[in-house]
Amino acid sequence: KKASEDAAKIAADIQKEDEQWQLLQELNNTKQEQELLLLQQDYDLKFALAQGNSDLEIALAEQQAIAIMEINDRFREESIYNTNKS
């Protein structure tokens, strides 16, 4: 019983640390960095599910690369627009 309680406490501590790290990222990251982080975390879950299925892993990698380019392009366009507007 003690080992089970210890494991639960460790899991809760890890969860809290993860949540604190997420909050810190939200506070410190630019909007672009935060979008890329959330995208990466989403794809981490998808890749974990796809593990062992090479066709799915390849399709996910291609889709992720496109999503990253779209985010970067959007922020680049916003930056150019804001620079020209000034």
Side-chain angles (χ1 to χ4, degrees), residues 24-67:
L24 184 61
Q25 296 312 304
E26 289 176 30
L27 295 172
N28 291 329
N29 285 350
T30 64
K31 288 180 186 178
Q32 182 178 7
E33 291 169 335
Q34 190 62 24
E35 277 194 44
L36 291 169
L37 173 63
L38 293 174
L39 179 74
Q40 181 61 50
Q41 291 172 336
D42 182 49
Y43 274 90
D44 286 348
L45 296 173
K46 291 176 181 180
F47 277 108
L49 180 62
Q51 190 171 19
N53 182 331
S54 61
D55 291 337
L56 186 53
E57 290 174 336
I58 290 168
L60 282 172
E62 291 171 354
Q63 187 180 47
Q64 181 184 27
I66 291 168

Side-chain angles (χ1 to χ4, degrees), residues 71-82:
I71 290 171
N72 289 332
D73 287 347
R74 183 167 35 88
F75 278 94
R76 186 173 20 265
E77 289 169 9
E78 286 178 17
S79 176
I80 291 170
Y81 173 77
N82 289 334

